mmCIF file of all heavy atoms in Angstrom:
data_model
loop_
_atom_site.group_PDB
_atom_site.id
_atom_site.type_symbol
_atom_site.label_atom_id
_atom_site.label_comp_id
_atom_site.label_asym_id
_atom_site.label_seq_id
_atom_site.Cartn_x
_atom_site.Cartn_y
_atom_site.Cartn_z
ATOM 1 N N PHE Q 199 126.239 107.573 84.920
ATOM 2 C CA PHE Q 199 125.760 108.538 85.903
ATOM 3 C C PHE Q 199 126.875 109.235 86.663
ATOM 4 O O PHE Q 199 126.615 110.063 87.499
ATOM 5 C CB PHE Q 199 124.812 107.857 86.898
ATOM 6 C CG PHE Q 199 125.433 106.713 87.633
ATOM 7 C CD1 PHE Q 199 126.260 106.937 88.719
ATOM 8 C CD2 PHE Q 199 125.178 105.409 87.232
ATOM 9 C CE1 PHE Q 199 126.826 105.883 89.390
ATOM 10 C CE2 PHE Q 199 125.748 104.357 87.907
ATOM 11 C CZ PHE Q 199 126.573 104.590 88.989
ATOM 12 N N PHE Q 200 128.121 108.866 86.387
ATOM 13 C CA PHE Q 200 129.162 109.519 87.172
ATOM 14 C C PHE Q 200 129.270 110.986 86.769
ATOM 15 O O PHE Q 200 129.020 111.362 85.646
ATOM 16 C CB PHE Q 200 130.502 108.811 87.007
ATOM 17 C CG PHE Q 200 131.109 108.920 85.637
ATOM 18 C CD1 PHE Q 200 131.949 109.972 85.321
ATOM 19 C CD2 PHE Q 200 130.833 107.961 84.679
ATOM 20 C CE1 PHE Q 200 132.506 110.061 84.061
ATOM 21 C CE2 PHE Q 200 131.391 108.057 83.421
ATOM 22 C CZ PHE Q 200 132.225 109.106 83.101
ATOM 23 N N ASP Q 201 129.625 111.781 87.749
ATOM 24 C CA ASP Q 201 129.814 113.204 87.521
ATOM 25 C C ASP Q 201 131.264 113.407 87.118
ATOM 26 O O ASP Q 201 132.173 113.302 87.932
ATOM 27 C CB ASP Q 201 129.489 113.965 88.809
ATOM 28 C CG ASP Q 201 129.705 115.462 88.638
ATOM 29 O OD1 ASP Q 201 130.354 115.851 87.652
ATOM 30 O OD2 ASP Q 201 129.233 116.212 89.504
ATOM 31 N N ILE Q 202 131.460 113.702 85.859
ATOM 32 C CA ILE Q 202 132.819 113.722 85.330
ATOM 33 C C ILE Q 202 133.655 114.817 85.996
ATOM 34 O O ILE Q 202 134.872 114.741 86.047
ATOM 35 C CB ILE Q 202 132.768 113.859 83.795
ATOM 36 C CG1 ILE Q 202 133.959 113.147 83.163
ATOM 37 C CG2 ILE Q 202 132.692 115.309 83.353
ATOM 38 C CD1 ILE Q 202 133.777 112.825 81.722
ATOM 39 N N GLY Q 203 133.000 115.823 86.558
ATOM 40 C CA GLY Q 203 133.733 116.885 87.233
ATOM 41 C C GLY Q 203 134.293 116.453 88.570
ATOM 42 O O GLY Q 203 135.211 117.064 89.092
ATOM 43 N N LYS Q 204 133.747 115.384 89.121
ATOM 44 C CA LYS Q 204 134.137 114.980 90.471
ATOM 45 C C LYS Q 204 135.157 113.845 90.497
ATOM 46 O O LYS Q 204 135.786 113.621 91.507
ATOM 47 C CB LYS Q 204 132.896 114.516 91.246
ATOM 48 C CG LYS Q 204 131.981 115.644 91.656
ATOM 49 C CD LYS Q 204 130.839 115.090 92.487
ATOM 50 C CE LYS Q 204 129.885 116.196 92.877
ATOM 51 N NZ LYS Q 204 128.653 115.664 93.439
ATOM 52 N N VAL Q 205 135.249 113.101 89.425
ATOM 53 C CA VAL Q 205 136.026 111.866 89.533
ATOM 54 C C VAL Q 205 137.516 112.153 89.625
ATOM 55 O O VAL Q 205 138.037 113.072 89.029
ATOM 56 C CB VAL Q 205 135.735 110.903 88.350
ATOM 57 C CG1 VAL Q 205 134.278 110.525 88.347
ATOM 58 C CG2 VAL Q 205 136.148 111.508 87.037
ATOM 59 N N LYS Q 206 138.193 111.301 90.405
ATOM 60 C CA LYS Q 206 139.609 111.521 90.664
ATOM 61 C C LYS Q 206 140.458 111.321 89.417
ATOM 62 O O LYS Q 206 141.458 111.988 89.228
ATOM 63 C CB LYS Q 206 140.078 110.575 91.766
ATOM 64 C CG LYS Q 206 139.477 110.941 93.104
ATOM 65 C CD LYS Q 206 139.872 109.955 94.174
ATOM 66 C CE LYS Q 206 139.142 110.328 95.457
ATOM 67 N NZ LYS Q 206 138.675 109.206 96.196
ATOM 68 N N ALA Q 207 140.036 110.370 88.586
ATOM 69 C CA ALA Q 207 140.840 110.079 87.403
ATOM 70 C C ALA Q 207 140.993 111.318 86.534
ATOM 71 O O ALA Q 207 142.027 111.526 85.907
ATOM 72 C CB ALA Q 207 140.204 108.954 86.595
ATOM 73 N N MET Q 208 139.960 112.174 86.526
ATOM 74 C CA MET Q 208 140.025 113.367 85.695
ATOM 75 C C MET Q 208 140.968 114.406 86.276
ATOM 76 O O MET Q 208 141.429 115.281 85.584
ATOM 77 C CB MET Q 208 138.627 113.978 85.564
ATOM 78 C CG MET Q 208 137.669 113.099 84.785
ATOM 79 S SD MET Q 208 138.267 112.776 83.126
ATOM 80 C CE MET Q 208 138.203 114.438 82.461
ATOM 81 N N LYS Q 209 141.215 114.301 87.586
ATOM 82 C CA LYS Q 209 142.093 115.272 88.225
ATOM 83 C C LYS Q 209 143.556 114.842 88.093
ATOM 84 O O LYS Q 209 144.450 115.606 88.395
ATOM 85 C CB LYS Q 209 141.740 115.404 89.707
ATOM 86 C CG LYS Q 209 140.369 115.988 89.947
ATOM 87 C CD LYS Q 209 140.117 116.013 91.442
ATOM 88 C CE LYS Q 209 138.665 116.333 91.713
ATOM 89 N NZ LYS Q 209 138.298 115.974 93.067
ATOM 90 N N GLN Q 210 143.751 113.598 87.726
ATOM 91 C CA GLN Q 210 145.103 113.068 87.649
ATOM 92 C C GLN Q 210 145.753 113.511 86.340
ATOM 93 O O GLN Q 210 145.073 113.769 85.364
ATOM 94 C CB GLN Q 210 145.069 111.538 87.672
ATOM 95 C CG GLN Q 210 144.362 110.955 88.868
ATOM 96 C CD GLN Q 210 145.193 111.081 90.129
ATOM 97 O OE1 GLN Q 210 146.399 111.061 90.074
ATOM 98 N NE2 GLN Q 210 144.544 111.231 91.266
ATOM 99 N N PRO Q 211 147.095 113.551 86.342
ATOM 100 C CA PRO Q 211 147.760 113.664 85.048
ATOM 101 C C PRO Q 211 147.409 112.446 84.208
ATOM 102 O O PRO Q 211 146.862 111.471 84.721
ATOM 103 C CB PRO Q 211 149.243 113.694 85.415
ATOM 104 C CG PRO Q 211 149.339 113.272 86.828
ATOM 105 C CD PRO Q 211 148.010 113.498 87.469
ATOM 106 N N LYS Q 212 147.708 112.504 82.938
ATOM 107 C CA LYS Q 212 147.259 111.419 82.072
ATOM 108 C C LYS Q 212 147.912 110.089 82.432
ATOM 109 O O LYS Q 212 147.330 109.046 82.254
ATOM 110 C CB LYS Q 212 147.512 111.781 80.617
ATOM 111 C CG LYS Q 212 146.539 112.857 80.145
ATOM 112 C CD LYS Q 212 146.543 113.001 78.664
ATOM 113 C CE LYS Q 212 145.420 113.957 78.250
ATOM 114 N NZ LYS Q 212 145.386 114.147 76.806
ATOM 115 N N VAL Q 213 149.142 110.175 82.965
ATOM 116 C CA VAL Q 213 149.771 108.942 83.413
ATOM 117 C C VAL Q 213 149.137 108.552 84.746
ATOM 118 O O VAL Q 213 148.870 109.392 85.591
ATOM 119 C CB VAL Q 213 151.293 109.127 83.577
ATOM 120 C CG1 VAL Q 213 151.931 107.874 84.140
ATOM 121 C CG2 VAL Q 213 151.916 109.494 82.245
ATOM 122 N N MET Q 214 148.847 107.257 84.901
ATOM 123 C CA MET Q 214 148.228 106.755 86.129
ATOM 124 C C MET Q 214 149.330 106.108 86.963
ATOM 125 O O MET Q 214 150.026 105.216 86.490
ATOM 126 C CB MET Q 214 147.190 105.709 85.699
ATOM 127 C CG MET Q 214 146.554 104.919 86.796
ATOM 128 S SD MET Q 214 145.593 103.585 85.993
ATOM 129 C CE MET Q 214 144.660 103.011 87.409
ATOM 130 N N THR Q 215 149.487 106.559 88.189
ATOM 131 C CA THR Q 215 150.531 105.994 89.052
ATOM 132 C C THR Q 215 149.913 105.528 90.355
ATOM 133 O O THR Q 215 149.275 106.300 91.063
ATOM 134 C CB THR Q 215 151.639 107.030 89.334
ATOM 135 O OG1 THR Q 215 152.209 107.437 88.091
ATOM 136 C CG2 THR Q 215 152.732 106.424 90.205
ATOM 137 N N ILE Q 216 150.062 104.239 90.632
ATOM 138 C CA ILE Q 216 149.546 103.634 91.861
ATOM 139 C C ILE Q 216 150.678 102.816 92.475
ATOM 140 O O ILE Q 216 151.275 101.974 91.800
ATOM 141 C CB ILE Q 216 148.338 102.710 91.575
ATOM 142 C CG1 ILE Q 216 147.179 103.481 90.952
ATOM 143 C CG2 ILE Q 216 147.910 101.946 92.828
ATOM 144 C CD1 ILE Q 216 146.387 104.354 91.902
ATOM 145 N N ALA Q 217 150.965 103.044 93.741
ATOM 146 C CA ALA Q 217 152.005 102.301 94.465
ATOM 147 C C ALA Q 217 153.326 102.277 93.683
ATOM 148 O O ALA Q 217 154.015 101.256 93.618
ATOM 149 C CB ALA Q 217 151.529 100.874 94.768
ATOM 150 N N GLY Q 218 153.634 103.423 93.070
ATOM 151 C CA GLY Q 218 154.909 103.548 92.367
ATOM 152 C C GLY Q 218 154.942 102.929 90.987
ATOM 153 O O GLY Q 218 155.969 102.954 90.306
ATOM 154 N N VAL Q 219 153.811 102.358 90.543
ATOM 155 C CA VAL Q 219 153.732 101.740 89.209
ATOM 156 C C VAL Q 219 152.906 102.662 88.319
ATOM 157 O O VAL Q 219 151.828 103.113 88.721
ATOM 158 C CB VAL Q 219 153.097 100.341 89.285
ATOM 159 C CG1 VAL Q 219 152.913 99.753 87.897
ATOM 160 C CG2 VAL Q 219 153.954 99.429 90.153
ATOM 161 N N SER Q 220 153.414 102.946 87.126
ATOM 162 C CA SER Q 220 152.745 103.893 86.241
ATOM 163 C C SER Q 220 152.268 103.222 84.964
ATOM 164 O O SER Q 220 152.929 102.343 84.425
ATOM 165 C CB SER Q 220 153.698 105.034 85.869
ATOM 166 O OG SER Q 220 154.051 105.755 87.027
ATOM 167 N N ALA Q 221 151.096 103.656 84.511
ATOM 168 C CA ALA Q 221 150.549 103.194 83.233
ATOM 169 C C ALA Q 221 150.210 104.410 82.391
ATOM 170 O O ALA Q 221 149.556 105.342 82.860
ATOM 171 C CB ALA Q 221 149.308 102.338 83.467
ATOM 172 N N GLU Q 222 150.661 104.401 81.163
ATOM 173 C CA GLU Q 222 150.330 105.467 80.213
ATOM 174 C C GLU Q 222 148.878 105.302 79.786
ATOM 175 O O GLU Q 222 148.311 104.207 79.875
ATOM 176 C CB GLU Q 222 151.236 105.357 78.975
ATOM 177 C CG GLU Q 222 152.714 105.528 79.248
ATOM 178 C CD GLU Q 222 153.095 106.966 79.554
ATOM 179 O OE1 GLU Q 222 152.354 107.876 79.119
ATOM 180 O OE2 GLU Q 222 154.106 107.175 80.245
ATOM 181 N N PRO Q 223 148.255 106.366 79.294
ATOM 182 C CA PRO Q 223 146.903 106.210 78.732
ATOM 183 C C PRO Q 223 146.897 105.137 77.642
ATOM 184 O O PRO Q 223 147.802 105.084 76.808
ATOM 185 C CB PRO Q 223 146.613 107.586 78.137
ATOM 186 C CG PRO Q 223 147.471 108.518 78.909
ATOM 187 C CD PRO Q 223 148.713 107.760 79.249
ATOM 188 N N GLY Q 224 145.923 104.257 77.717
ATOM 189 C CA GLY Q 224 145.833 103.169 76.746
ATOM 190 C C GLY Q 224 146.684 101.970 77.107
ATOM 191 O O GLY Q 224 146.771 101.009 76.336
ATOM 192 N N GLN Q 225 147.300 101.992 78.286
ATOM 193 C CA GLN Q 225 148.217 100.907 78.657
ATOM 194 C C GLN Q 225 147.655 100.075 79.806
ATOM 195 O O GLN Q 225 146.942 100.572 80.674
ATOM 196 C CB GLN Q 225 149.566 101.497 79.087
ATOM 197 C CG GLN Q 225 150.657 100.455 79.247
ATOM 198 C CD GLN Q 225 151.972 101.052 79.751
ATOM 199 O OE1 GLN Q 225 152.010 102.112 80.364
ATOM 200 N NE2 GLN Q 225 153.061 100.349 79.472
#
Side-chain angles (χ1 to χ4, degrees):
F199 58 80
F200 68 89
D201 179 345
I202 211 161
K204 287 184 182 169
V205 299
K206 291 176 184 141
M208 293 301 295
K209 294 178 191 163
Q210 304 286 329
K212 288 194 173 179
V213 176
M214 172 189 192
T215 301
I216 299 285
V219 175
S220 297
E222 298 287 336
Q225 191 183 23

